Amino acid sequence: MIQKKSTLPILAVTLLMMACFCNITLPEKPIPDRILEANDEYEVLWTDDAISGCDFDVPLVAIPGAVFFETSTGMSLSTPLGAPRLKAVDSLTGESLWQIDPQSRAAILVAQDAILYRAVLGKNAEVTAYQADSGTLLWKTQLPPRTNMPVSMYFAENKLFVSTANDRYFVLNAQGEIITERNRQAKIYLEVDGILYLQGAAFKAIELASETELWQVHTDGYAFAPVFDTGTIFLRDGYSSLIYSIDQSTGKVNWIAEQGIYSNLFVDSKRMYFIDLDGYLVSLDRDTGIELSKVRFSVPFDLDNPRTRGVNNCITGDRANNVLVMSFYDNKQILAVKIMKP
């Protein structure tokens, strides 16, 4: 009789080796699920243990009625961190709509109308498009060789704009065909009406045809991927925790607010939302930058833990239904709340 050897000790050794060589800290005591303390701003709709951390720009995205995110299947010897799983849930109830198991992990998700776009990690990155209501694959485009990890992705004018870690920039049409490729010593975010919006030593707008600089805004350092929304750019500075509101056409700075931000920014028609370092869900008036509300989470963040370095919480929203959806770097929770004062 041949006894089958258990793979559990090997898996444990594999995880330990990855922790040592990849600077990964193995999980510590589980963090309890968070709720918001008693308030009249938000009502908790649902919570689920399905995701972990915000390693890139926006791994949580939403359209009316649905939220999309990436999680992992169970660990195995071949996939010690778990294989990727892409899921869609109802934004109001948290009920599962569909799930698929892609082969590679995503760096960024973008949802626009009825389509979900996914930029994939890897030595040779790719972009895929899925039908948002079913998860059906519409197309897959492999980016050219020696293209580094995608670091930002935007949708505008029926095109997709992808910028990579080695300053390569691609424009894809609605069918997934690469129609433009650029290579600059700057991170290009978006190209609208013949104008490039990019980040170098400053955040700039450049007229593409003449290469004329139209305006620039100096920030204190590295900037996270900005939010472009109805003629306004919202920019989060990476070092000073400043938030800039910039007129997209003129470059005029509408306002600057200093906040201890610990997430990406989500903006709706009246407010901006984010999670701060002190463990609060914060909202600002999008037109003035004035703080409107600040509600504490039930469990604070351990800022002294080395696992927190370089990792953020995530926030997105279903604007049509006044729903905010959040995930946290230190547990697997997704929390959805209804905005009671939109």
Side-chain angles (χ1 to χ4, degrees), residues 7 89 155 337:
T7 61
V89 300
F155 185 92
V337 299

Side-chain angles (χ1 to χ4, degrees), residues 129-145:
Y130 299 90
Q131 194 70 39
D133 60 359
S134 65
T136 302
L137 179 66
L138 299 176
W139 50 259
K140 178 189 293 186
T141 298
Q142 188 80 43
L143 298 182

Side-chain angles (χ1 to χ4, degrees), residues 311-328:
V311 185
N312 282 300
N313 305 294
C314 298
I315 185 167
T316 190
D318 173 352
R319 291 187 176 192
N321 291 298
N322 297 316
V323 174
L324 293 179
V325 185
M326 295 157 280
S327 70
F328 307 98

Side-chain angles (χ1 to χ4, degrees), residues 139-141 160 170-180:
W139 50 259
K140 178 189 293 186
T141 298
L160 202 61
F170 304 92
V171 182
L172 285 68
N173 64 16
Q175 291 73 46
E177 300 166 327
I178 298 174
I179 56 176
T180 303

Side-chain angles (χ1 to χ4, degrees), residues 37-338:
E37 294 186 345
N39 70 94
D40 59 0
E41 293 282 336
Y42 309 101
E43 176 188 346
V44 173
L45 293 175
W46 54 268
T47 183
D48 188 18
D49 290 339
I51 199 172
S52 183
C54 177
D55 296 323
F56 303 100
D57 284 335
V58 186
L60 276 174
V61 294
I63 59 174
V67 179
F68 308 94
F69 58 90
E70 190 153 314
T71 182
S72 296
T73 61
M75 297 185 297
S76 68
L77 184 61
S78 59
T79 58
L81 295 181
R85 173 162 289 168
L86 181 61
K87 297 185 69 173
V89 300
D90 187 289
S91 61
L92 290 168
T93 66
E95 294 180 359
S96 178
L97 300 176
W98 55 260
Q99 65 180 36
I100 58 174
D101 295 339
Q103 294 182 340
S104 302
R105 293 190 178 278
I108 306 167
L109 298 176
V110 170
Q112 181 70 31
D113 299 326
I115 300 178
L116 175 67
Y117 300 96
R118 184 173 179 268
V120 175
L121 286 170
K123 188 176 295 184
N124 292 321
E126 67 182 27
V127 179
T128 51
Y130 299 90
Q131 194 70 39
D133 60 359
S134 65
T136 302
L137 179 66
L138 299 176
W139 50 259
K140 178 189 293 186
T141 298
Q142 188 80 43
L143 298 182
R146 297 179 297 280
T147 298
N148 283 6
M149 177 183 75
V151 293
S152 71
M153 183 163 64
Y154 293 88
F155 185 92
E157 298 181 339
N158 208 30
K159 296 189 285 284
L160 202 61
F161 304 87
V162 183
S163 184
T164 71
N166 59 339
D167 294 332
R168 298 182 76 178
Y169 168 77
F170 304 92
V171 182
L172 285 68
N173 64 16
Q175 291 73 46
E177 300 166 327
I178 298 174
I179 56 176
T180 303
E181 178 179 350
R182 306 188 195 283
N183 197 340
R184 290 177 177 242
Q185 295 302 309
K187 184 190 298 183
I188 303 174
Y189 292 113
L190 190 61
E191 179 181 328
V192 178
D193 295 329
I195 299 174
L196 289 179
Y197 297 91
L198 54 88
Q199 175 79 43
F203 190 83
K204 301 178 181 180
I206 295 177
E207 186 180 59
L208 188 58
S210 64
E211 289 290 326
T212 301
E213 181 180 299
L214 302 177
W215 55 259
Q216 66 173 261
V217 174
H218 287 275
T219 63
D220 284 349
Y222 167 82
F224 289 88
V227 176
F228 294 83
D229 190 80
T230 57
T232 304
I233 303 170
F234 298 95
L235 188 66
R236 173 193 167 190
D237 189 279
Y239 297 126
S240 64
S241 290
L242 295 177
I243 304 172
Y244 296 78
S245 169
I246 304 169
D247 186 286
Q248 186 169 335
S249 61
T250 66
K252 177 182 178 291
V253 175
N254 301 315
W255 52 261
I256 300 174
E258 185 171 4
Q259 294 276 348
I261 312 169
Y262 208 19
S263 72
N264 58 296
L265 306 174
F266 173 72
V267 180
D268 67 15
S269 61
K270 295 182 179 179
R271 298 192 183 197
M272 169 189 292
Y273 299 88
F274 56 88
I275 298 168
D276 79 358
L277 289 163
D278 294 324
Y280 287 84
L281 173 57
V282 182
S283 73
L284 307 183
D285 185 300
R286 65 167 284 159
D287 294 327
T288 64
I290 295 173
E291 187 175 291
L292 297 178
S293 67
K294 192 171 185 177
V295 181
R296 187 193 295 271
F297 290 103
S298 57
V299 180
F301 302 119
D302 182 3
L303 302 180
D304 295 325
N305 191 324
R307 290 172 59 202
T308 68
R309 294 170 189 163
V311 185
N312 282 300
N313 305 294
C314 298
I315 185 167
T316 190
D318 173 352
R319 291 187 176 192
N321 291 298
N322 297 316
V323 174
L324 293 179
V325 185
M326 295 157 280
S327 70
F328 307 98
Y329 73 87
D330 56 2
N331 64 20
K332 296 182 178 181
Q333 181 191 9
I334 294 180
L335 175 64
V337 299
K338 183 80 170 181

